[in-house]
Amino acid sequence: MDMKTKADFIIERVQKQNPSANVEKIRSAYECAAAAHEGQKRKNGDPYIIHPLSVAEIIVEMGLDTDSICAGLLHDCIEDTSFGYDEIAQKFGTTVADLVDGVTRLGQIRYSKEQEQMEDLRKMLIAMAKDIRVILIKLADRLHNMRTIQFMSEAKQRSKSLETMEIYAPIAHRLGMQRIKWELEDLSLKHLDPIGYQEIVDGLARQSSEHEKFLERIKQTISKKLNESGIHNTISARVKHIYSIYRKMYSQNKNMSEIYDICAVRVIVESVADCYNVLGYVHDLYKPIPGRFKDYISTPKPNGYRSLHTTVIGRAGIPFEVQIRTEEMHKMAEYGVAAHWKYKEGVTNKGDEDTYAWIRQLLEAQQDTEAEDFIKAIKVDLFSDEVFVFTPKGDVVNLPAGATPIDFAYGIHSAVGNRMTGCKINGRIAPIDYNLQNGDIVEIITSKETHGPKRDWLKMIKTSEARNKIKQWFKKECREENIVRGKEDLERELKANLLYSHFMEKEEIQQNVLRKFNYNSLEELYASLGYGGITITKVLNKVRDEVIRARKAESAKQPLTGDKNPKSDSGVIVEGIGNCLVKFARCCTPIPGDDIVGYITRGYGVSVHRRDCVNFKNSSEEDQDRWIDVRWDESNIEAKERFSTALQISTTDRVGVMSDVLMILSNNRINVRDFNGKTLSEGFAIINAVVDVTGIPQLEMLISKLRSVKGVINVTRQSN
Ligand code: MN
């Protein structure tokens, strides 16, 4: 279908769905976008406009309003074309321009891999959006990008998939948009665990005719019964989506045939009363599994989802799930908050409070604690009591509204605050009492010497953290006092936590603690505690860790009784020890087939090295008795298991050699964990790659393929 036809097709659909939509405006937005992207191509060679068109199509499917559809068509204009904010505002109004601007800003957020950041990042996206439609358009954008992700490099596929799985799918879930959530999850899974994904696809394909017959029979039985009873109904039957099967398989450690209710039947009726009637009939026809009935009509899910669920047993003893709901509940389940726009077109908004009233109602009705943070995040926008900003590395920092760069600096570390001389906001020098805005990238300028805060900073800050740290600075001048106070505090807390003698009498523990926090002496630690440079809790936690570690090391040294049938979860058998914590050393990254040896670490189980690893060969005299024999557990290494190993590839500095190497890796479905290259002098370059392989045979195959790449001089396994 050419672009023009596709645009017509979308417009026709809008018209059918919503007669009051402004199709002239949509057509004009399409024409502007097509002109702006003229000549640009997507990765697969298609004209670029196919992307905004497809995004608009998804937005139409969600049922959003004219402005959202226009914004979908124009969503990449500000970033990639000369058709900017002002042009869009002039032609389509500030609402459309703000929506496009919002989507653009979300796209600029850098993604940090820290797990604990995910929730903050999700909240931040919502908070930044200002208008929930921005999020919905962004979800449509991401969905189409995920649908066409096969044209990206494997590394990009992986990072986008991870981001989608951890940020966008959960947001879709919170907003109740099941249909999009499922598709995002399945598409992500396909790239995050291609083998696991394929296993399920194949499994489902094998059983598909069985499933179809099974579901068809159930559909007929139920609809016959309902028709006899005069209940209008629509019944659909389906196999559940792949990621939900995947999650069950892995969380319950089951194989596919052991997963209950892969099949689901949905009955849509006209009234709530009918829902409960249908439930009765279904339980007459089939035996319900106790404990599996859920009434999400009387108690909706936190995201607003309403439906009755029950799992029953079919004739062949195969369980299946039945969902019963009304048409309205169904729309809400599929499209979540987007469903609300279906009725909103043509109604002029009287202001933000009106626009958000229903979202607030929806969210405030939620009583789930998991949802609480999310509600709070939406409220950030509605009541503005929090602000989310970024470090230059892309980590999210959450501060109270009105916070300044000084709060930010002390939030990172008191040393950063105490050395602060100025700041940059989004790359520009700004006053230190600037009011931080959502999405700002904040960079603190520091001097080498600690010169400390100014008294008047106390008036410029919002957080108690900054207040305390600044006050502490002024106290710090009196070092002697601080040492006394710090010593008292620490000793008291150590005694209270039964750690006193460990810390005071065991040299090794004390030294490790001091080293960890960069203190040269006990006195320095006391002084720091005294003025608040470090918290007691931090020190106590470290002491506790050290004590535990020392204990473990001691017990690891004791002779262990041999297990005749050693088992391993890790694929490695440690001689004389049964199932113990095993990890693979990063220095030499052993993989199955390598000659290996184990090292009893101080408290972290056994670390497996290659026998040719320098750390083994050069290990010190006193460490000799820590080395033990280990071997691969051939019976327990499954073909799908992968092991990381590091490669060093030396090449001539030819343009394109990196991408050729990546191509080989991706063609061989090798997962790449890390990949970077650096140019050496005289026209040579080194590529360091960490890849996941099943073992030596695969690695050897891979190395020989890499050696055949033009420009590659040598490929070796990395070892320090
Ligand atoms: Mn886009």
Side-chain angles (χ1 to χ4, degrees):
M1 184 183 331
D2 77 2
M3 303 308 131
K4 193 95 181 83
T5 327
K6 190 172 166 86
D8 287 336
F9 176 78
I10 292 173
I11 286 169
E12 205 173 291
R13 181 158 175 190
V14 174
Q15 243 163 349
K16 219 181 278 167
Q17 208 167 286
N18 183 354
S20 67
N22 184 346
V23 292
E24 283 323 305
K25 192 171 178 181
I26 295 172
R27 190 176 298 283
S28 158
Y30 162 70
E31 274 154 14
C32 282
H37 290 294
E38 181 74 55
Q40 296 176 355
K41 294 254 187 284
R42 298 205 87 213
K43 277 253 158 51
N44 62 357
D46 281 346
Y48 193 84
I49 187 70
I50 189 92
H51 168 62
L53 261 178
S54 309
V55 171
E57 194 175 13
I58 296 167
I59 294 169
V60 171
E61 228 163 86
M62 289 179 186
L64 295 193
D65 57 356
T66 301
D67 282 347
S68 307
I69 299 167
C70 292
L73 287 164
L74 296 162
H75 82 270
D76 278 329
C77 279
I78 293 186
E79 183 148 38
D80 299 337
T81 79
S82 55
F83 198 68
Y85 180 93
D86 294 336
E87 285 84 359
I88 297 176
Q90 200 187 14
K91 215 158 164 123
F92 301 100
T94 48
T95 307
V96 175
D98 285 340
L99 290 175
V100 175
D101 186 48
V103 175
T104 309
R105 280 160 56 90
L106 290 193
Q108 287 159 349
I109 289 187
R110 274 169 298 162
Y111 166 70
S112 155
K113 287 188 191 100
E114 297 293 320
Q115 278 291 339
E116 61 262 45
Q117 291 258 322
M118 291 308 158
E119 186 56 30
D120 269 347
L121 211 52
R122 284 177 217 137
K123 283 194 267 180
M124 154 127 201
L125 287 173
I126 303 280
M128 264 182 73
K130 295 214 167 70
D131 184 325
I132 200 88
R133 286 175 294 182
V134 169
I135 294 285
L136 304 182
I137 297 166
K138 184 70 200 169
L139 286 172
D141 178 36
R142 177 49 63 104
L143 181 57
H144 184 249
N145 282 333
M146 288 301 293
R147 282 177 182 169
T148 53
I149 199 172
Q150 68 269 30
F151 303 108
M152 302 265 199
S153 68
E154 182 153 344
K156 198 115 197 208
Q157 288 180 7
R158 201 182 150 77
S159 72
K160 287 282 165 200
S161 299
L162 201 59
E163 192 181 68
T164 302
M165 193 65 110
E166 289 181 332
I167 297 175
Y168 290 101
I171 286 178
H173 173 70
R174 293 283 175 81
L175 296 174
M177 308 170 79
Q178 296 310 312
R179 186 180 276 218
I180 288 191
K181 176 203 163 207
W182 286 343
E183 194 178 343
L184 287 175
E185 285 176 343
D186 282 359
L187 288 168
S188 305
L189 180 67
K190 190 171 166 187
H191 299 282
L192 290 173
D193 183 358
I195 293 165
Y197 178 86
Q198 199 54 43
E199 190 187 345
I200 296 173
V201 171
D202 292 345
L204 289 176
R206 268 196 303 279
Q207 300 166 11
S208 83
S209 66
E210 236 170 275
H211 285 150
E212 262 165 45
K213 267 186 246 155
F214 175 70
L215 288 168
E216 194 48 42
R217 219 175 27 237
I218 291 164
K219 256 168 82 172
Q220 281 173 10
T221 312
I222 297 178
S223 85
K224 182 162 170 268
K225 181 90 177 180
L226 297 185
N227 292 340
E228 282 167 10
S229 325
I231 297 177
H232 287 280
N233 63 84
T234 317
I235 302 183
S236 58
R238 69 192 168 98
V239 166
K240 290 196 167 172
H241 76 290
I242 292 167
Y243 182 63
S244 84
I245 298 172
Y246 180 89
R247 231 182 20 218
K248 279 187 189 155
M249 279 171 65
Y250 288 87
S251 68
Q252 299 167 15
N253 200 15
K254 286 179 172 157
N255 64 37
M256 252 185 93
S257 60
E258 293 170 305
I259 303 279
Y260 277 178
D261 56 20
I262 282 178
C263 296
V265 172
R266 183 178 294 143
V267 186
I268 295 174
V269 293
E270 286 172 342
S271 67
V272 173
D274 278 350
C275 290
Y276 291 96
N277 287 333
V278 171
L279 181 73
Y281 289 123
V282 169
H283 284 181
D284 277 349
L285 289 168
Y286 303 99
K287 188 172 149 40
I289 296 180
R292 295 295 299 267
F293 167 63
K294 305 247 167 52
D295 183 350
Y296 296 119
I297 292 181
S298 65
T299 319
K301 280 196 187 179
N303 61 16
Y305 176 85
R306 295 200 301 156
S307 188
L308 297 178
H309 285 193
T310 183
T311 303
V312 298
I313 297 181
R315 258 170 226 131
I318 304 170
F320 62 96
E321 188 180 71
V322 185
Q323 303 177 345
I324 308 161
R325 52 175 84 141
T326 65
E327 184 63 41
E328 196 200 333
M329 293 175 198
H330 181 57
K331 273 199 187 125
M332 186 64 199
E334 296 274 286
Y335 298 108
V337 297
H340 291 267
W341 264 276
K342 292 200 192 252
Y343 315 102
K344 281 190 70 77
E345 187 85 58
V347 182
T348 43
N349 298 326
K350 285 190 201 100
D352 281 354
E353 279 304 298
D354 269 10
T355 318
Y356 290 109
W358 61 263
I359 302 182
R360 202 160 61 219
Q361 268 171 13
L362 166 77
L363 294 166
E364 278 178 351
Q366 303 184 2
Q367 284 173 355
D368 181 299
T369 44
E370 185 205 329
E372 231 161 61
D373 281 344
F374 183 72
I375 298 163
K376 234 169 82 193
I378 295 251
K379 281 184 183 164
V380 170
D381 181 42
L382 302 171
F383 310 114
S384 309
D385 56 0
E386 271 180 292
V387 58
F388 296 88
V389 296
F390 285 117
T391 67
K393 278 191 194 155
D395 291 338
V396 180
V397 177
N398 180 0
L399 294 164
T404 61
I406 306 175
D407 290 299
F408 178 90
Y410 279 100
I412 291 183
H413 197 277
S414 50
V416 177
N418 289 338
R419 287 182 183 162
M420 176 173 182
T421 56
C423 67
K424 281 185 182 173
I425 304 296
N426 303 321
R428 289 213 192 115
I429 297 282
I432 57 169
D433 61 349
Y434 166 84
N435 264 357
L436 293 173
Q437 303 296 314
N438 275 320
D440 280 344
I441 299 168
V442 187
E443 189 182 340
I444 301 300
I445 304 167
T446 54
S447 64
K448 279 209 176 123
E449 284 116 66
T450 308
H451 53 73
K454 309 263 179 308
R455 286 268 172 204
D456 63 346
W457 286 13
L458 286 166
K459 290 179 213 134
M460 299 176 187
I461 51 173
K462 276 275 170 187
T463 57
S464 50
E465 191 179 7
R467 187 169 311 279
N468 292 337
K469 286 179 178 170
I470 292 172
K471 282 187 180 162
Q472 270 152 8
W473 165 265
F474 291 112
K475 285 184 201 158
K476 187 187 155 191
E477 306 302 290
C478 4
R479 182 177 153 93
E480 292 309 310
E481 267 174 50
N482 288 328
I483 291 174
V484 174
R485 185 147 33 109
K487 184 168 191 293
E488 274 175 15
D489 289 353
L490 183 62
E491 287 183 0
R492 188 186 60 241
E493 289 301 315
L494 284 170
K495 280 176 187 156
N497 286 279
L498 306 176
L499 293 166
Y500 183 79
S501 59
H502 291 282
F503 184 73
M504 292 302 172
E505 287 155 25
K506 293 209 177 111
E507 185 71 11
E508 192 191 335
I509 290 178
Q510 197 180 100
Q511 285 308 318
N512 285 346
V513 173
L514 291 179
R515 205 174 311 131
K516 155 92 182 175
F517 299 114
N518 290 325
Y519 295 115
N520 294 316
S521 67
L522 209 46
E523 209 170 65
E524 265 186 37
L525 172 67
Y526 293 149
S528 183
L529 282 167
Y531 70 77
I534 185 170
T535 62
I536 290 246
T537 331
K538 265 196 173 164
V539 178
L540 283 181
N541 285 341
K542 181 62 188 164
V543 174
R544 200 173 287 121
D545 285 351
E546 283 298 324
V547 170
I548 292 168
R549 201 190 279 212
R551 264 189 212 138
K552 274 196 193 153
E554 222 137 89
S555 62
K557 273 187 195 158
Q558 282 167 13
L560 288 137
T561 44
D563 186 338
K564 278 196 177 160
N565 290 312
K567 273 225 167 83
S568 66
D569 288 334
S570 53
V572 167
I573 294 175
V574 180
E575 293 301 337
I577 305 178
N579 208 351
C580 71
L581 182 63
V582 167
K583 57 175 188 152
F584 297 98
R586 280 169 173 268
C587 48
C588 54
T589 55
I591 58 173
D594 280 331
D595 201 2
I596 48 174
V597 62
Y599 176 79
I600 301 171
T601 66
R602 295 172 171 82
Y604 284 105
V606 171
S607 165
V608 177
H609 292 255
R610 274 153 58 189
R611 236 172 230 282
D612 57 5
C613 175
V614 288
N615 286 321
F616 173 58
K617 287 199 280 196
N618 302 347
S619 92
S620 66
E621 195 71 288
E622 57 180 322
D623 263 350
Q624 284 310 320
D625 56 354
R626 288 184 176 271
W627 291 99
I628 50 166
D629 284 336
V630 300
R631 60 187 160 89
W632 296 104
D633 181 1
E634 307 291 354
S635 66
N636 204 27
I637 298 171
E638 288 174 44
K640 65 173 185 189
E641 237 175 305
R642 306 228 162 184
F643 296 81
S644 288
T645 195
L647 292 178
Q648 193 169 69
I649 307 165
S650 42
T651 70
T652 58
D653 196 10
R654 174 176 75 81
V655 176
V657 70
M658 294 262 277
S659 65
D660 288 354
V661 165
L662 272 174
M663 189 64 84
I664 296 276
L665 295 171
S666 118
N667 287 346
N668 288 282
R669 310 201 122 254
I670 299 291
N671 184 27
V672 181
R673 287 188 185 266
D674 200 350
F675 191 87
N676 61 69
K678 64 173 178 274
T679 309
L680 307 174
S681 56
E682 287 151 7
F684 292 101
I686 289 283
I687 299 171
N688 288 309
V690 178
V691 295
D692 290 356
V693 291
T694 50
I696 289 288
Q698 193 187 22
L699 184 68
E700 277 171 356
M701 179 276 295
L702 186 66
I703 289 179
S704 85
K705 282 188 176 167
L706 289 172
R707 283 194 176 133
S708 70
V709 172
K710 191 180 157 214
V712 167
I713 298 160
N714 199 10
V715 182
T716 51
R717 286 181 71 185
Q718 208 172 301
S719 175
N720 337 335

